[in-house]
Amino acid sequence: MTRMYTGNETMAGLTSLLIHSGVVALLLLLGTLKPVQTFIHESVTPLIAPSLKPREAVERGGGGGGARSPIDASKGKLPPMAHKQFTPPRVDAADSKLPMTPSIIADAPTINATSYGDPLGKVGIPSNGTGFGGGIGSGSGGAVGSGKGVGVGPGDGGGFGGGVFRIGGGVSSPAIIKQVEPEYSEDARKAKWQGTVELSVIVDETGHARNITVSKSLGMGLDQKAMEAVEKWLFKPGMRNGKPVAVFATIQVTFHLL
């Protein structure tokens, strides 16, 4: 079947094309106007909270050690972090006079204990663990944990193992969804004490803060108040390859009197 086109149909098509072209040109012109650009800019809400400081990304992490002891590694604190390890940690190192301080290559949370050990170890007889190569744990590498390398925990290659990532390098920052304001301690209120508490936390895959430690203290009972508040916060978790992951983050909680 052959369709015949009349002059009216041709004119209608041309008119429609001109109208659509005019609308597109008008939208482009409006987008270049300063008031429109300002409105668009001020309507965008940042997704990254300014109190969450980005850090170097770590794709994997972990480490381990031990002294071939028949007894599992004992529980204790982690040695300080260093960029290069010279002396592996051991359980009795805290009381020994060593030429260099034991260290690990991992920015791990602070553990309160009197002697070095594995934070996941057992309370009991002091032991460097069943692993080998120096260090503490059931792994190898001269560090702490069940992994392999100079970091901490399961995995290898240094850093803090167990599936915890750093913000950056393909790992997005968590964003605060629900924020509970911290309460003032009575001592701080009486002293009119103000300032900022800095907390190191792990924001897990469900958007909750765990392993909360104080990296910058304010005192007067406000450190504890800050930790209690952040425990109740809810985050949009950090993402990696489209999936939520646990990430290290630093959170600053500011106290000020009105």
Side-chain angles (χ1 to χ4, degrees):
M1 179 178 178
T2 303
R3 185 174 179 179
M4 301 295 293
Y5 290 90
T6 65
N8 290 337
E9 288 176 325
T10 303
M11 181 61 68
L14 180 60
T15 302
S16 176
L17 177 61
L18 291 174
I19 291 173
H20 283 82
S21 300
V23 171
V24 172
L26 180 60
L27 290 174
L28 292 174
L29 176 62
L30 288 174
T32 61
L33 298 178
K34 190 67 175 180
V36 175
Q37 292 179 344
T38 302
F39 173 77
I40 294 173
H41 176 74
E42 292 177 350
S43 299
V44 175
T45 302
L47 296 178
I48 300 177
S51 59
L52 296 174
K53 298 180 179 179
R55 291 187 177 184
E56 179 184 358
V58 173
E59 294 292 320
R60 60 180 183 174
R68 299 190 184 276
S69 170
I71 303 174
D72 291 335
S74 53
K75 190 177 183 67
K77 67 180 179 180
L78 295 171
M81 180 268 186
H83 294 291
K84 185 174 183 180
Q85 185 189 55
F86 293 97
T87 303
R90 65 174 192 255
V91 169
D92 59 351
D95 300 322
S96 302
K97 293 183 179 180
L98 299 175
M100 303 197 74
T101 302
S103 60
I104 52 175
I105 302 179
D107 185 9
T110 301
I111 308 295
N112 292 323
T114 57
S115 61
Y116 294 140
D118 185 346
L120 302 178
K122 296 182 178 180
V123 176
I125 300 174
S127 171
N128 287 313
T130 59
F132 62 94
I136 304 167
S138 58
S140 63
V144 179
S146 59
K148 179 181 180 181
V150 289
V152 178
D156 62 272
F160 196 89
V164 183
F165 294 87
R166 299 285 177 189
I167 299 169
V171 180
S172 66
S173 170
I176 300 172
I177 297 175
K178 177 185 176 182
Q179 182 175 346
V180 176
E181 292 298 325
E183 298 179 358
Y184 242 92
S185 66
E186 193 60 32
D187 290 343
R189 190 181 301 278
K190 290 178 180 178
K192 297 183 179 180
W193 194 248
Q194 302 183 104
T196 300
V197 177
E198 190 170 277
L199 302 175
S200 295
V201 307
I202 295 175
V203 178
D204 64 21
E205 299 90 335
T206 66
H208 294 87
R210 58 183 176 87
N211 290 42
I212 304 174
T213 59
V214 178
S215 54
K216 181 180 178 182
S217 175
L218 187 57
M220 289 280 184
L222 296 179
D223 297 347
Q224 184 63 33
K225 293 295 185 182
M227 295 173 69
E228 291 173 357
V230 172
E231 282 181 345
K232 301 174 184 177
W233 289 13
L234 181 63
F235 300 81
K236 177 185 176 182
M239 306 292 288
R240 180 175 182 269
N241 296 331
K243 296 181 180 180
V245 293
V247 298
F248 286 107
T250 298
I251 298 177
Q252 295 177 336
V253 181
T254 300
F255 292 86
H256 54 86
L257 295 169
L258 299 179

